[in-house]
């Protein structure tokens, strides 16, 4: 069996949690392969709204296996909160969740280092979610990190202290006040919660499940434009958010990748700093933010908003090998008379055919095509036949420009507000 991948093609928050939840019935296993609690994946069904940070979005489906892969970084304190909330809702987390022993731990001092580093950068800050993601991945690649499997060893606390002491020496280089004790007590409570979980050798586990004929859906976090290699560096996250990250973040070979579902919003949003060529700093941008409720699911920060950007979408499609597109939040654009779509860029009066290396310092100017907007409220539209003509044209335009078909159109946050316009499986 193959692993299908579902990931965001923009700057995150495309609606991955919603769609993973919608697709989960078709799969046996849902697996997170990178990122950590910087993610906030929102699910809405039966009048419930729930945000997941570390736990895969298949967790509400009984009898589905949810796996946190080796590529993820996990904060035990945040993890415990998530588990407690799910247990309260009657979700059998202990039975349905497995965690790779090779996933790395975010320590309290990683969070403090993240905050100290951002404070020192001042105006140049990344706009991190301050969950300790960067410092935790630095310790992973620097070969200093602690892994989930380490909590099973008798000298775990000694190893923890040794790494924390190193972090404290690093923190002395910053002028930054912190209270480690506050974080530490809840962190160790989280470690106790984790000790009761089903810890596995994730790479063996997933390959065994695939060999048994199980279908796996890999759930991306963040978005392709926040990828550590291909995003607008340094305004990125610290992991590979693209399809390639699935192989290294779960321990599966590229031969085992099947469909790649690429999710994008009908417009663009970005939270945090960094270039955003089609950003709208005007009333329309504010209107989209309000209408789309564009406030971060993890930090509550207002998201920056802008028009759909085809050159960046094509870049993400290329990097990921997207086979099927899914367009989210189409309902949010209802009522805008004239929509704009960026179809190419110019820089210093030259037409660009690729995304420039130094996009951070030389942000290109978007060239727009205008499209007629749709007036109809889409939130109770249940079939494609009821789509306004203008929406159909908008979708056709995207398909023509990208060369990839749109299979799903989302018209609201609820599970039910999902229209399958072309066969998915
Ligand atoms: P994720 O990080 O990709 O899972 O996305 P987030 O949960 O951070 O942000 C997406 C937001 O949009 C959430 O509040 C969702 O409930 C909401 N959402 C998802 N799809 C739609 C849609 O089609 N229309 C509207 N109006 N909201 C949506
Ligand atoms: P989901 O999975 C949107 C952004 C932050 C910041 C940059 C680096 O919900 O789509 P980090 O905390 O990783 O050091 O932050 O990346 N960012 C996200 N933006 N959605 C996310 O996740 C994000 N995770 C990180 O705002 O600009
Ligand atoms: Mg999110």
């Amino acid at each position: 069996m193959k692993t299908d991948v579902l990931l965001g093609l923009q700057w995150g928050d495309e609606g991955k949690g919603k769609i993973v939840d919608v697709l989960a019935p078709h799969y046996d296993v849902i697996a997170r392969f990178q990122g950590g609690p910087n993610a906030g994946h929102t699910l809405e069904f039966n009048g419930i709204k729930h945000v997941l940070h570390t736990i895969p979005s298949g967790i509400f489906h009984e009898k589905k296996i949810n796996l946190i892969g080796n590529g993820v970084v996990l904060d035990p304190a945040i993890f415990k909160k998530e588990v407690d909330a799910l247990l309260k809702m009657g979700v059998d987390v202990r039975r349905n969740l497995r965690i790779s022993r090779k996933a790395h731990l975010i320590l309290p001092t990683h969070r403090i280092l993240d905050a100290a580093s951002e404070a020192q950068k001042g105006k140049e800050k990344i706009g991190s979610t301050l969950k300790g993601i960067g410092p935790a991945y630095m310790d992973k690649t620097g070969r200093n990190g602690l892994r989930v499997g380490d909590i099973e060893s008798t000298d775990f606390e000694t190893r923890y202290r040794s790494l924390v002491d190193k972090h404290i020496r690093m923190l002395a280089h910053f002028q930054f006040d912190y209270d480690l004790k506050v974080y530490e007590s809840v962190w160790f409570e989280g470690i106790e919660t984790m000790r009761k979980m089903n810890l596995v050798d994730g790479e063996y586990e997933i390959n065994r499940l695939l060999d048994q004929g199980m279908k796996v859906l890999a759930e991306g976090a963040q978005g392709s434009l926040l990828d550590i290699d291909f995003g607008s560096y340094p305004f990125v996250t610290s992991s590979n958010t693209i399809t390639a990250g699935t192989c290294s973040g779960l321990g599966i070979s590229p031969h085992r990748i099947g469909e790649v579902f690429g999710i994008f919003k009908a417009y663009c949003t970005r939270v945090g700093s960094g270039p955003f060529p089609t950003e709208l700093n005007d009333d329309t941008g504010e209107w989209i933010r309000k209408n789309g409720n564009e406030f971060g699911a993890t930090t509550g920060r207002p998201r920056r908003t802008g028009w759909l950007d085809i050159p960046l979408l094509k870049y993400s499609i290329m990097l990921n090998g997207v086979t099927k597109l899914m367009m989210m939040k189409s309902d949010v654009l209802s009522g805008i008379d004239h929509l704009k779509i960026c179809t190419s860029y110019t820089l210093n009066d030259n037409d660009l055919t690729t995304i420039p290396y130094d996009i951070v310092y030389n942000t290109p100017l978007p060239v727009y095509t205008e499209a007629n907007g749709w007036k109809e409220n889409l939130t109770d539209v249940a079939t494609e036949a009821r789509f306004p003509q203008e929406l159909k044209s908008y979708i056709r335009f995207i398909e023509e420009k990208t060369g990839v078909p749109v299979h799903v159109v989302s018209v609201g946050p609820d599970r039910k507000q999902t229209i399958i316009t072309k066969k998915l499986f």
Side-chain angles (χ1 to χ4, degrees):
M1 270 294 165
K2 297 257 181 185
T3 298
D4 291 346
V5 185
L6 182 141
L7 37 72
L9 301 179
Q10 294 162 325
W11 286 285
D13 303 330
E14 296 88 351
K16 300 175 290 293
K18 169 185 161 158
I19 294 294
V20 170
D21 173 57
V22 168
L23 297 188
H26 299 274
Y27 292 89
D28 304 294
V29 183
I30 314 296
R32 276 278 304 270
F33 57 92
Q34 48 68 233
N38 47 351
H41 293 183
T42 314
L43 287 68
E44 278 194 47
F45 53 91
N46 305 338
I48 297 170
K49 178 175 169 169
H50 195 86
V51 180
L52 293 163
H53 300 286
T54 324
I55 295 175
S57 300
I59 199 70
F60 288 101
H61 296 263
E62 246 188 277
K63 296 192 185 128
K64 303 291 172 187
I65 298 169
N66 286 266
L67 174 69
I68 297 177
N70 57 279
V72 171
V73 286
L74 198 149
D75 181 332
I78 295 175
F79 176 74
K80 179 182 186 309
K81 259 195 183 169
E82 286 193 72
V83 168
D84 289 348
L86 288 168
L87 288 174
K88 239 189 198 164
M89 295 170 80
V91 177
D92 194 350
V93 190
R94 277 188 207 122
R95 202 185 68 179
N96 296 346
L97 182 68
R98 301 179 192 174
I99 309 173
S100 168
R101 290 192 173 89
K102 291 193 170 78
H104 275 246
L105 292 173
I106 301 176
L107 271 57
T109 36
H110 284 138
R111 286 181 66 170
I112 298 169
L113 280 164
D114 210 359
S117 161
E118 283 282 83
Q120 193 186 53
K121 283 185 172 153
K123 269 194 189 156
E124 307 293 310
K125 71 176 181 186
I126 308 293
S128 162
T129 59
L130 303 180
K131 302 294 178 198
I133 304 294
Y137 277 116
M138 276 164 71
D139 269 340
K140 174 179 177 175
T141 51
R143 295 157 296 179
N144 298 308
L146 285 177
R147 298 181 293 174
V148 168
D150 295 336
I151 69 174
E152 295 174 310
S153 73
T154 49
D155 67 344
F156 174 66
E157 200 144 338
T158 314
R159 287 156 77 176
Y160 168 83
R161 288 287 156 217
S162 153
L163 186 51
V164 165
D165 286 346
K166 183 174 170 239
H167 291 159
I168 289 172
R169 288 194 295 276
M170 288 162 72
L171 282 162
H173 297 285
F174 295 90
Q175 284 185 323
F176 191 79
D177 290 333
Y178 60 90
D179 185 350
L180 179 55
K181 289 272 171 297
V182 181
Y183 283 128
E184 249 180 2
S185 60
V186 280
W187 194 84
F188 275 104
E189 282 171 26
I191 292 289
E192 283 316 310
T193 299
M194 287 185 61
R195 286 195 170 119
K196 294 183 195 123
M197 293 288 149
N198 193 351
L199 308 186
V200 296
D201 294 325
E203 67 280 31
Y204 283 112
E205 185 81 359
I206 197 141
N207 282 291
R208 187 174 58 77
L209 295 170
L210 286 164
D211 289 343
Q212 285 173 1
M214 293 209 185
K215 287 179 74 183
V216 178
L217 179 64
E219 173 180 1
Q222 291 75 58
S224 304
L225 303 177
L226 289 170
D227 182 89
I228 182 72
D229 283 281
F230 301 106
S232 45
Y233 193 89
F235 300 102
V236 293
T237 191
S238 298
S239 64
N240 280 118
T241 58
I242 57 172
T243 304
T246 313
C247 297
S248 58
L250 291 175
I252 50 168
S253 92
H255 291 114
R256 297 202 108 151
I257 300 292
E259 297 284 352
V260 180
F261 301 121
I263 296 209
F264 66 100
K265 283 179 190 174
Y267 48 94
C268 282
T269 65
R270 177 167 200 165
V271 59
S273 325
F276 185 169
T278 62
E279 183 166 13
L280 286 164
N281 290 304
D282 59 7
D283 290 348
T284 308
E286 187 54 39
W287 192 90
I288 293 175
R289 179 161 36 251
K290 261 196 161 162
N291 214 30
N293 192 23
E294 293 297 356
F295 296 89
T298 297
T299 59
R301 290 178 293 176
R303 296 178 183 141
R304 299 155 65 193
T305 54
W307 297 121
L308 184 66
D309 187 324
I310 298 278
L312 283 176
L313 198 56
K314 284 172 75 172
Y315 185 59
S316 294
I317 288 169
M318 173 187 83
L319 295 171
N320 289 302
V322 172
T323 56
K324 294 185 166 106
L325 286 170
M326 301 178 169
M327 186 168 91
M328 309 299 289
K329 300 195 103 164
S330 320
D331 53 303
V332 174
L333 295 182
S334 290
I336 300 180
D337 289 341
H338 300 288
L339 302 169
K340 285 187 180 172
I341 306 175
C342 167
T343 49
S344 61
Y345 292 140
T346 60
L347 186 63
N348 305 326
D349 292 330
N350 295 315
D351 293 338
L352 295 185
T353 52
T354 56
I355 308 301
Y357 164 78
D358 58 347
I359 185 167
V360 170
Y361 304 102
N362 289 304
T363 304
L365 290 177
V367 177
Y368 288 113
T369 293
E370 283 219 359
N372 289 328
W374 49 93
K375 291 185 181 58
E376 295 81 349
N377 176 357
L378 300 181
T379 53
D380 59 358
V381 165
T383 60
E384 190 186 9
R386 285 191 47 210
F387 281 0
Q389 204 50 50
E390 295 85 354
L391 173 61
K392 286 185 185 166
S393 305
Y394 193 77
I395 295 169
R396 206 174 314 121
F397 185 82
I398 295 166
E399 293 184 325
E400 275 168 22
K401 287 286 171 194
T402 60
V404 184
V406 174
H407 283 248
V408 171
V409 177
S410 177
V411 294
D414 195 272
R415 251 185 209 167
K416 288 190 185 135
Q417 293 168 305
T418 313
I419 299 159
I420 315 286
T421 51
K422 292 187 183 72
K423 208 167 161 289
L424 266 178
F425 300 104

